[in-house]
């Protein structure tokens, strides 16, 4: 209820590429085809960052149990507006090294001497702190907005139907 009240006062901006999508309240009313949704998970590039039951790339949150964690509405909102709520431990960081090399990912660990980053593709990379010229926490999600436009509104409904089965 609190989230719904907040959304009335502070509406979430439209996701890039999703300008023609129906509102979430309308999408929630539709029933999707979970079998098609499972196919979209791979073809819509979801698996390039997320794992489900050991399949996919270990970069974003593991979605193996997502159907038991988020409501149908929450799934739509997470996909359409990925920066609205970023999962704990997945806040992005940008690191620029003194040699000009720029890295973007999220911190998986840190010592007095180095920062461990997980980079897109699931690659782990350690950066010595004495090599860092600039480190910046990113306010937006590492999941790009607009990915739902790859499958369209009906494909998104199918994808969410499949995600709901993951418990």
């Amino acid at each position: 209820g609190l989230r719904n009240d907040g959304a009335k006062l502070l509406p979430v901006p439209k996701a890039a590429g999703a300008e023609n999508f129906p509102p979430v309240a309308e999408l929630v009313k539709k029933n999707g085809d979970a079998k098609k949704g499972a196919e979209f998970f791979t073809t819509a590039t979801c698996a390039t960052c997320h794992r489900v039951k050991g399949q996919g790339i270990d970069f974003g949150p593991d979605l193996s149990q997502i159907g038991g964690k988020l409501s149908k509405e929450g799934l739509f909102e997470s996909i359409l507006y990925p920066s609205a709520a970023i999962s704990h431990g997945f806040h992005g960081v940008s690191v620029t090294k003194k040699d000009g090399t720029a890295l973007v990912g999220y911190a998986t660990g840190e010592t007095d001497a180095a920062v461990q980053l997980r980079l897109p593709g699931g690659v782990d990379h350690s950066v010595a702190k004495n090599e860092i010229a600039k480190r910046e926490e990113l306010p937006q999600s590492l999941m790009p907005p607009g990915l739902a436009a790859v499958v369209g509104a009906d494909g998104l409904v199918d994808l969410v139907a499949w995600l709901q089965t993951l418990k």
Side-chain angles (χ1 to χ4, degrees):
L2 183 57
R3 180 177 63 189
N4 292 338
D5 291 343
K8 290 175 189 172
L9 296 172
L10 302 167
V12 177
K14 283 280 188 189
E19 297 83 8
N20 297 320
F21 276 57
V24 171
E26 288 181 33
L27 291 170
V28 169
K29 294 176 187 174
K30 297 182 178 200
N31 293 316
D33 180 335
K35 185 176 178 183
K36 286 183 185 176
E39 293 171 15
F40 285 138
F41 182 78
T42 302
T43 61
T45 71
C46 305
T48 62
C49 290
H50 296 282
R51 292 181 72 115
V52 171
K53 301 184 192 286
Q55 300 296 310
I57 304 292
D58 186 14
F59 180 66
D62 187 305
L63 301 179
S64 298
Q65 303 290 315
I66 197 68
K69 295 177 182 177
L70 290 180
S71 67
K72 188 175 185 181
E73 179 182 16
L75 289 167
F76 280 114
E77 289 176 353
S78 293
I79 296 167
L80 289 169
Y81 315 111
S83 292
I86 301 170
S87 294
H88 178 72
F90 292 92
H91 287 85
V93 63
S94 171
V95 172
T96 304
K97 293 171 57 176
K98 291 177 181 174
D99 68 3
T101 304
L103 303 167
V104 175
Y106 60 89
T108 58
E110 186 167 350
T111 66
D112 290 340
V115 177
Q116 291 74 42
L117 298 176
R118 170 84 35 96
L119 304 177
V123 176
D124 290 322
H125 186 76
S126 183
V127 181
K129 287 187 174 178
N130 64 3
E131 294 179 4
I132 297 174
K134 182 178 179 184
R135 177 179 174 176
E136 179 182 16
E137 302 296 321
L138 302 175
Q140 70 276 6
S141 172
L142 293 173
M143 179 174 157
L147 290 178
V150 172
V151 295
D154 290 337
L156 178 60
V157 170
D158 293 337
L159 177 61
V160 166
W162 179 67
L163 291 171
Q164 286 185 287
T165 70
L166 302 176
K167 298 179 181 182

